[in-house]
Amino acid sequence: MSKFKMIVLDMDDTLMNSDNEVSAETKSYLIDIQDKGYSVVLASGRPTEGMIPVARELQLNHNESFIISYNGGKTIKMSNEEVEVSKPVSKDNFDLIVDYCRERGFLVLTYDNGYIIHDSDHEYMNIESELTGLPMKRVEDIKSCINHDVPKVMGVDYVGNITEARVDLNGFFNEDIDVTTSKPFFLEFMAKDVSKGNAIKALCKKENINLEEVVVFGDSLNDQSMFDVAGYSVAMGNASEELKESADVVTLDNNSEGIPHMLKKLI
């Protein structure tokens, strides 16, 4: 085996191709390297329920592996699908985020009991459902409906408006809430210090794996924290220019078997 022990993969536009599928070649390769002793972990902004089917497809449940959902808000052990770490957004902060998004005209999405919850419409409202497979549920008023902590909140709008808000917030909504983007039309709000990178650090400590032994693959701003902590970072060919600049190397895009293409060189 190489010096690397863990491979952490973003999902959308990294592991998943433009048809929202894992290609047969990539799937076969990832199953094969797990059989050889490498750990494969999925890390995504997706809700847990939107990750588990792909994790099962890649046989993570048979290999004592993990998924990191909600941009690091939850870590789930796939052998029993139990939540090992959970860092939610409080109800008080949820209400503040909803107020902020409404003032800017953003559609607000959150997650509850396997549904994507919303109380208004937008041209992009169904994208998250199409990506994750979770059904949409419209409520009369999202603040009244949600009376508990939530794993993550999203503001959805056109790219220019989301970009303006992202630049203005510069990663921080308030002292309790951090902000990132996974797609250019999704503004994502998580509890402070929740990130894929911090989740990987905690998981590696638990599993006695040195961060230098971790390879990460990503394409978007919410993958930057992974690139900051891992021993080796790989940007997809379709990644943002900002992420490519911070990567150790750039591989082929998500429609061209970029993951196995690079891993064959590394391990």
Side-chain angles (χ1 to χ4, degrees):
M1 290 179 65
S2 74
K3 70 172 184 177
F4 299 114
K5 294 181 179 179
M6 179 181 286
I7 296 95
V8 183
L9 307 171
D10 169 54
M11 285 187 62
D12 295 306
D13 301 315
T14 298
L15 173 64
M16 315 301 288
N17 61 25
S18 295
D19 294 323
N20 198 30
E21 297 174 342
V22 182
S23 73
E25 179 179 337
T26 295
K27 174 182 174 180
S28 175
Y29 182 81
L30 293 175
I31 291 172
D32 182 60
I33 63 172
Q34 289 177 94
D35 290 340
K36 294 177 179 177
Y38 293 96
S39 176
V40 174
V41 174
L42 304 185
S44 176
R46 287 189 181 202
T48 304
E49 297 91 339
M51 297 181 66
I52 284 177
V54 176
R56 289 173 181 162
E57 182 182 354
L58 296 177
Q59 298 184 13
L60 269 62
N61 51 318
H62 298 311
N63 288 282
E64 296 295 319
S65 195
F66 299 82
I67 61 174
I68 296 166
S69 58
Y70 297 109
N71 283 323
K74 289 188 178 183
T75 299
I76 293 90
K77 187 171 185 176
M78 279 303 301
S79 59
N80 55 18
E81 297 183 8
E82 290 187 358
V83 176
E84 299 216 335
V85 178
S86 180
K87 297 181 178 180
V89 174
S90 70
K91 166 60 175 169
D92 288 344
N93 277 305
F94 173 76
D95 287 350
L96 293 174
I97 294 165
V98 172
D99 290 342
Y100 171 85
C101 290
R102 285 175 172 173
E103 287 171 5
R104 286 185 170 257
F106 298 166
L107 170 71
V108 182
L109 301 179
T110 194
Y111 309 85
D112 189 40
N113 291 323
Y115 288 93
I116 302 170
I117 308 298
H118 67 110
D119 65 1
S120 59
D121 295 329
H122 191 283
E123 182 181 354
Y124 296 164
M125 62 180 288
N126 292 316
I127 294 177
E128 177 74 348
S129 178
E130 292 165 357
L131 288 171
T132 64
L134 269 65
M136 304 286 290
K137 181 178 180 180
R138 180 161 185 160
V139 297
E140 185 173 344
D141 177 67
I142 199 166
K143 285 173 67 173
S144 299
C145 172
I146 300 296
N147 55 14
H148 50 75
D149 297 350
V150 295
K152 185 181 76 170
V153 190
M154 286 210 305
V156 181
D157 201 9
Y158 301 107
V159 173
N161 297 333
I162 294 296
T163 301
E164 180 182 342
R166 177 179 65 82
V167 171
D168 180 56
L169 291 171
N170 193 29
F172 306 98
F173 179 71
N174 62 25
E175 62 182 10
D176 301 318
I177 301 294
D178 290 344
V179 182
T180 189
T181 54
S182 58
K183 288 186 176 291
F185 36 78
F186 289 165
L187 190 67
E188 309 200 5
F189 300 82
M190 298 88 57
K192 185 169 182 60
D193 295 329
V194 164
S195 69
K196 295 182 183 183
N198 283 338
I200 290 168
K201 286 169 65 176
L203 180 59
C204 285
K205 183 177 181 179
K206 176 182 179 294
E207 295 294 296
N208 295 313
I209 294 175
N210 192 305
L211 287 166
E212 290 299 313
E213 299 171 319
V214 179
V215 183
V216 297
F217 286 74
D219 73 287
S220 192
L221 181 64
N222 67 332
D223 299 315
Q224 183 64 61
S225 64
M226 298 200 298
F227 282 35
D228 292 340
V229 303
Y232 202 77
S233 56
V234 184
M236 304 302 291
N238 52 289
S240 68
E241 291 304 314
E242 184 179 354
L243 198 71
K244 287 180 180 178
E245 289 174 5
S246 69
D248 290 307
V249 69
V250 178
T251 187
L252 302 177
D253 66 39
N254 64 318
N255 291 316
S256 304
E257 315 299 344
I259 291 172
H261 172 80
M262 184 54 60
L263 285 177
K264 287 173 184 177
K265 298 179 180 180
L266 296 176
I267 65 174

